Structures are given as structure tokens and as C-alpha cells.
Amino acid sequence: MSNKVKILINNMSVEIDNDLTILEAARLLNIDIPTFCHDDRLNPTGSCRMCVVEVEGARNLMTACSTKVRDGMVVRTNTKNVVETRKGILELMWANHPNECLVCEKSGECKLQDYSYQYNVNPDSIFKPLNSRDFIDNSNEFYTFDSRKCILCGKCVQICSELQMTSAIGFDERGIDTHIKIKQHDDSIDGVIDLYKCVSCGNCVNNCPVGALMPKTKDKYRNWEVDKIKTTCPYCGVGCQFNLVVKDNKVVRVEPVKGGTNDGLLCVKGSFGYKFINHPDRLKQPLIKKDGVFVESTWEEAMDLIVKKINETKAKHGPNAFSGLSSAKCTNEENYLMQKLVRAGFGTNNVDHCARLCHASTVAGLATTLGSGAMTNSISEIGGTDTFLVIGSNTTETHPVIGVMIKQRVKKGAKLIVADPRKIELANMANVHLQIKPGTNVALANGLMNVIYNEGLYDKEFINKNTNNLEDLLEVIKEYTPEKAAEICGVSKEDIVKAARLYASADRAAIYYAMGITQHSSGTNHVKSMANLALMTGNVGKESTGINPLRGQNNVQGACDMGALPDVLPGYQKVFDDAVAKKYEKAWGVSLSREVGHTLPIMMNEASSQDIKFMYIMGENPVVSDPDTNHIKKALTNLDFLVVQDIFLTQTAEFADVVLPAASYAEKDGTFTNTERRVQRIRKAVTIKGNARSDWEILSELLTRLGLEANYNNAEDIFKEMASLTPIYAGLDYDRIDDNGMQWPCPTSNHPGTKYLYKDGFTKLGKAIFTPIEHLGPQELPDSEYPLILTTGRTLYHFHTKTMTDRVEGLKATVPDNFIQVSPDTAKQYQLKHNEFITVSSRRGSSVAKVQITDTIDDGVVFMPFHFADGANMLTNPALDDICNIPEFKVCAVKVNKC
């Protein structure tokens, strides 16, 4: 417990907690003390010694960043001794540092340059001793390390070990030859991130105080020539905040923003994955397919043709011949307009987006058990969690910043249970790793609950007060003894018992899951099992606990919130609720269908059978993202008319009759909603490429041409309309969310937003509902013809269907080829060699992949990423969950052959 003390700094008095430092006290008095190595997020070391001060009574100067205050302390920060010592420190740094300020890219943001000016240090007068710090390391795809410019402050070492938790950077050699050594990532073994090897997150680069670590770039600029625009990352659902650094209408760098969801941390895609914005492949002009060939068109011609086809289709086939795919990569405002176009313009509820392929089972499962299909808690609450159950989520690759935060918390003593068919990176830190067979999540959850109940570890008071249907659940789980669950899952019963005790005995336990739970033909039941487990232990409705589905794309949560789903209008208001429908009819001036529309997989089936004639796709690439690629290609080919709106000519756009060029996230304003329900701003940083337009502008014009009011001057106008009709967003506006965003539900203008759900109980349902769930195996299991289980997922270096990441040289070079991971015994059985290309086949198609032999996967199981065209989704099983229609991406049967 801290106590207040009074100290004197430069004859100014301050009262401060006794567990704080002299540096923190000085800042309260607006007294500047120079630092190189200090960062508020790091343990202070004083290693650079630039922050030395005089403390009355002390024999030596003290480092302000690492010296705690004490009552009555008298400190002086600018005495002659202090100034001369700091000057001497700078001179020692210059002794090994080249005097290249005139040509150094760090000029203008270099602390060594600034402090040398402040302390009147002349580098030319300093003796330069010989040492081994005279090399430049260009081996990384994304940054360079110039040892000559390194001042050995150690900040990069701490950033990597304490924040990024990779420990890929360290000191090498001794004395005058001491230098920084970076252990670069080596993917010669497998595609899983290796411990203690660089993952190119760029956090060391972003925090280097001098020019030793610099991003690789072909753009020349000086730091005083640029503008910085704060925005939200366009990749995964974490919603990291960063500045786009712009010169001459071009993004030249990204720098993280401290605070917010990511607290200054980024992953490799966030730091370096911006170069697709300026890529020459960007669509710049509308395209119309004439005689099988795309021809550049005007907006007028393209819009005339689209509206003509809409009117013809509606007259001949009716509204249900239409369908629309919205996009988790587009803004809330654009998703709102897309579902408005489909519902009010086309006259149907046949609208969906890629959430159908990733978290449709989350929405269905959590909504029916708890009341809301969203992440219950907040990213910041990771710091208070005692035990994590990470299941079906390769978090450090798919949501890297959240993965890092979990690692930080575990390093501080939290317990970690990992359940995944692969030995993912987090498994190396886990107290228990349950390497379960793909598709056995329900059996595992039931086994855990069997132990928890039989050992009296359940929360009886919470259950009695907040839940219904426990007895029915107990009838099912009593059969799932640790022995039975272990047999189904392929793990030891001892590990199931240990995991159950760890999870149930924690004061604050949290479940984090992703598509390893959801992408199954019984995915909704897998999600309900997670709810059962959390409810049994009372880990819902309080801070640092909960059920936390990690959304895969930047705005998949927002696209769901905006009603880009066939059964709900914005805010999850049912399309068949007459009062809701009438509210929207009044606002939009049109009659609306009360009939639930088709989900994405059913749309494709209907298109394949030619029952759907017209499809409009915004920012989606189903040819690569959906299961059974050949079926998707057939469906798109059978359409009468296809419009694709995107930033690149994707594999899906190749099938279009009209392609409309859209703006990237950096070229427009709007909002994204991240995985923790936080609504955050994106801001226009550069002008749109060529003759492209923002998605919302395109949709607004189409609405107007179809006779609907769409008088929007900007994205904010759309947000205001949406919020006025959507209760969970009703209290949000651009001013309120401008700084750090806000979390829904936020029903009124004075509501603070909702950090975690169910604090006041399960008000939508009255009580949460336990659901008895039996384990059901996957729809397709290995046999003599297809003897291997294929499971799929993502890699750190690519995103979704590679539309963006394949246009970033470093990302593409790091993972250039489709690959398949196999165990050493599986490789031996099928005579596979590391790095050779083989053919992988299922009942639906074949794919060529590069072999990676790794001990991170079980015998008889293989893994492929889904990013590549003609890759994993040539093989995957389109079998659907009958509740929410999510396909079974995670398990299918395959065979391998030599090419």
C-alpha cells in the first residue's frame, strides 16, 4: 500500500505516492528530465543514465527513472555536476556513433540529436575508438538495424522481452564490443511462430530513440515534412490505434498511439502492412465486362447499367431474386447503407457478410444463452484475469496484441490453459495444454464441468441467482467423466482434471476463443458449451472474466451490429418484429419484408440453382473465403448479373459483370467496431486513388437512383441516422467517440458506455440459460480413401484472402506459398519431404501445398491456412450448422500425393 510523501525538486514542493519515482514526481511539476531508455510501460532500469539527478545526502548521482521517492527528499535536476555528467554520457554515445545527422532518416525525431543540441555536444571533437559495432543488418523484410547508430540504451531489449514477450533481442559480447543482437524469425521448421525469434512486430523500431532501428521504405521524407492522422487498424478485430504518417498525399509510415486498445503495441501487419494503399494494382476506374473482357467505363455508364439490371430483375423475378454481401472490412456507415440498399432498394432480407463464416455461431449461441452475441468483457481487463482458458484460438497469430497481453499477464503469475489441436505459441507458456482432436470442444467442456460439479467447485450462489436449467445440463455432463472426455478428445484425463481445477478455483477466470470453436457443423453448440462452463463457475458479469469471442476482421462486430445479417436490422432488431419494421419503414419511406432472408451459404446454393439472379458484393471475396471453391465459382457463373465493389480486382471480381472501384480505409472517414464492442473512428489521411469512390458514396448514389432518400453529406450523417434507429448505439456520436471510442450498449447521450456485460444480470432473458449439449462428431471423418484430418486457420503474416497483404512485399515474401503442416511421423508414413510441394485432395477438390514438417501437430492431422486462392477452401466441407448456417471449415477428410 502506498503512502503520500513530500519532496522538493528544484525548490518546488510536491506530494506524491511513495511507490513512484523521481521522474514521475518531476513530471507532475512540469520539470523535464531527459531519458533514452525510459518508457512508462517498462520496468525502469536507468541503463542509459541520461536521467541522472542530485539527491541531497546521496554520495552519487541517482537515476530519476528508477529511484523511488522518500519523504523529505531534496532533488536538483540541473546542477553543474548533473549537466556535465549528462554531457559526458552523450559524448560516450557519440564515440561509437556516426555523425550522419544530415542524411539520417531519424533526423527531427532523434533524441540523441536533440539532447546533443541541448547540452552543446560537438560530435566532431570526440575520439572514435575501434570496436566491432560497425555493421548493418538488412536481413529482416521490414526493418534495418544499424549497429553504428545504436546507443545501447537497451530500450529495444526491454520492449521485446517485457511488452512483446518474444525476447528476440539481447546484448551480445562484452565491454567495448557490446552490441545488440536480433534473432530473426526462421520459418525453415514450420509456420508456427518460434519462441525467442523476431516476429517483425516493429515495436522495437517504433520505440528506438535514435536511428539504429528503422523501417525499410523506398519513400524519402524528413520528419518535419509529414502529417499524422490518427486512425484504426484495418486488419484483425483488436482495433489498434495508430497514426498514418503522410507526405505528399502518400502514407509513408505507421506509428502506434499509446493508450487505447493496444497501448502503443502493434503487430507486423499493423506496423508494416499499409503499403497496399498505394499499390499500382488498386482499382481506379469502373469496369464493365463486354464480350468476356473488362473495359474501363465511366461512373455514369456503370451506374446506369446496374440500375437497369436491378429494375429488370425486380420486374421479371421479384425481390427474392436479389442478394447482397456486405463487408467486415468496410465501415459501420457503409454496412448500414449496404443492408439498407438490399432491404429498401431490392426489397429483400437476403443480406449477409463473412461473419456467417466465422462467428455466426457466436451470435446464435451467446444470444440464446446470455442475451447478447458479443464479447462480454474488455481487452484492458486482461490485466486483472487470474486464469485464462484459450480454446480454439491461435491468439498470438490471429490477434497478436491480445496474445501479447495474455502473455504479459501470465508472466506476472496468471494461470493459462490452452486447448487446441496444434501446439500454438501460447501452449509453451501454458500450465495445461490440451491438444484435443479437431471438433471435440463440447466433449472437453462437458468433461471439465463434470469435474467442477463433482468436486464442488461450481458457484452455487451465482447459479441459483442468475441461471435456469442446471438440472438438465447435469443429466448430460454426468456421463462425461474425465476418462470418457479424454478418450473422445485424445488427451489425458489427468490434464482435464487439472484444467478444471485451475479454471474453477480462480477468482477471475476468462474464456477466449475464436474459430476453433465456431467453424463446425455443430458450432452453435460449441459456443453454448463455453457459456455453460462460464456460468457454472460464475465467471460472467464481473470484471476480467467472461466469454470473449475474438472477432477475426477489423469490423466484423460492426457489420453484425449494422444489420448486415438476414434476420436482423441494425442493433439485432428482428426483421419480423412488426414494430421494429414499421420504425424503419417510417425512417426510410418504403415497405419492408418481414421474411427472414438467406444466409451466405444458402445464397450461393440459390445462385448455383439459378434461383438468385442478381448479387451485389461489397468488399468480400467468397471465391477464396468460402468452403468448396468449385461450388462458389459455379454459383457466381450462374448469376444473371454480378456487381463487385472492392479496392482490387479480386478472384471474385473476375466473375463480375460490373466492378466498382472503392476507397481504402485510409481514404475515407467513418467508424469500425472492434471485438470488445468499442466503436472507434477512422479518418481520411490521403485522397482517393484515381476515380475510385468511398463505398458509402457509391451506395448513396444507388439508393438515390432507386428513388430512396440518401441525402448524406458525409459519413457522420449516416452514423446519426443509424444511431437514431439503433438502441445499442443511440448514445454515441462522433464527438463522444473521437478520442478513445466507446463501447456499446450506450443507450443515451449521458451513458458512459459498457465496459463489461451482465453486471446487473441477464436482463434480456431474465436469467441465463444452461444448455445440455451432447458431443457430436464432425460431418466428415477420415476413411481408407481420405485418411487424414484437415484443419484450417490463419497465419500471422496474412489476412483473410490476402487482398491487402499480398500487395505488401515483406508480408508476401515471408509467407509466399500455400503450405501444409504435418507431423514427422505423418511425413514419414507418406514419404513427404520438408519444403516439397504435394497435392492435397478432398471429395471436393485438390490443392497444391508446400510441406512443413513440425512437431506442433498430431499424427494423422494436417493444417493449412485459408488465405490462398486454390488453397484450403478447395478442400473444405460446406456442411452447415443447422442453427446458424456456419460451414464446417475446421474438419474434413483429405489425402496427400506427390505432385
Side-chain angles (χ1 to χ4, degrees), residues 8 12 143 157 306 393 437 502 579 607 647 692 721 775 789 884:
L8 204 65
M12 291 187 286
Y143 65 83
V157 177
I306 293 169
S393 166
K437 294 177 183 177
L502 279 176
I647 61 176
E721 178 181 303
H775 162 71
I789 294 175
C884 70

Side-chain angles (χ1 to χ4, degrees), residues 364-439:
L366 295 186
T368 54
T369 54
L370 306 180
S372 180
M375 185 171 171
T376 60
N377 290 65
S378 299
I379 295 169
S380 63
E381 296 172 45
I382 290 172
T385 299
D386 300 314
T387 295
F388 298 93
L389 170 56
V390 177
I391 180 167
S393 166
N394 188 4
T395 322
T396 56
E397 292 209 40
T398 59
H399 301 84
V401 170
I402 289 179
V404 162
M405 292 177 177
I406 291 173
K407 289 166 68 177
Q408 290 173 3
R409 181 61 180 159
V410 171
K411 186 73 176 289
K412 293 177 181 177
K415 306 301 182 184
L416 174 62
I417 306 157
V418 172
D420 196 274
R422 292 192 295 160
K423 188 179 180 182
I424 59 174
E425 182 188 356
L426 284 179
N428 292 290
M429 299 183 73
N431 300 88
V432 183
H433 175 215
L434 298 158
Q435 194 161 357
I436 59 175
K437 294 177 183 177

Side-chain angles (χ1 to χ4, degrees), residues 369-559:
T369 54
L370 306 180
S372 180
M375 185 171 171
T376 60
N377 290 65
S378 299
I379 295 169
S380 63
E381 296 172 45
I382 290 172
T385 299
D386 300 314
T387 295
F388 298 93
L389 170 56
V390 177
I391 180 167
S393 166
N394 188 4
T395 322
T396 56
E397 292 209 40
T398 59
H399 301 84
V401 170
I402 289 179
V404 162
M405 292 177 177
I406 291 173
K407 289 166 68 177
Q408 290 173 3
R409 181 61 180 159
V410 171
K411 186 73 176 289
K412 293 177 181 177
K415 306 301 182 184
L416 174 62
I417 306 157
V418 172
D420 196 274
R422 292 192 295 160
K423 188 179 180 182
I424 59 174
E425 182 188 356
L426 284 179
N428 292 290
M429 299 183 73
N431 300 88
V432 183
H433 175 215
L434 298 158
Q435 194 161 357
I436 59 175
K437 294 177 183 177
T440 60
N441 301 300
V442 171
L444 176 62
N446 285 348
L448 294 171
M449 287 186 284
N450 178 288
V451 175
I452 290 166
Y453 188 79
N454 288 333
E455 295 192 1
L457 300 174
Y458 60 98
D459 190 330
K460 186 175 182 181
E461 181 181 352
F462 176 89
I463 290 170
N464 290 338
K465 180 181 178 182
N466 294 288
T467 71
N468 283 325
N469 214 29
L470 176 64
E471 292 304 318
D472 289 346
L473 176 69
L474 295 179
E475 279 298 308
V476 171
I477 66 172
K478 70 181 182 181
E479 303 297 330
Y480 287 83
T481 62
E483 291 81 4
K484 179 178 178 179
E487 181 182 357
I488 294 171
C489 298
V491 297
S492 75
K493 65 179 183 179
E494 291 79 11
D495 281 345
I496 288 178
V497 172
K498 183 178 180 182
R501 291 170 178 168
L502 279 176
Y503 178 76
S505 61
D507 289 335
R508 297 179 184 271
I511 297 170
Y512 285 82
Y513 75 81
M515 287 172 277
I517 288 288
T518 61
Q519 288 183 330
H520 296 276
S521 57
S522 55
T524 303
N525 285 342
H526 289 226
V527 171
K528 288 179 178 179
S529 289
M530 296 301 103
N532 288 339
L533 182 57
L535 290 171
M536 180 170 277
T537 54
N539 280 302
V540 187
K542 61 183 182 181
E543 199 163 355
S544 296
T545 63
I547 308 165
N548 300 291
L550 300 177
R551 299 290 186 155
Q553 294 191 46
N554 56 307
N555 200 35
V556 72
Q557 181 66 60

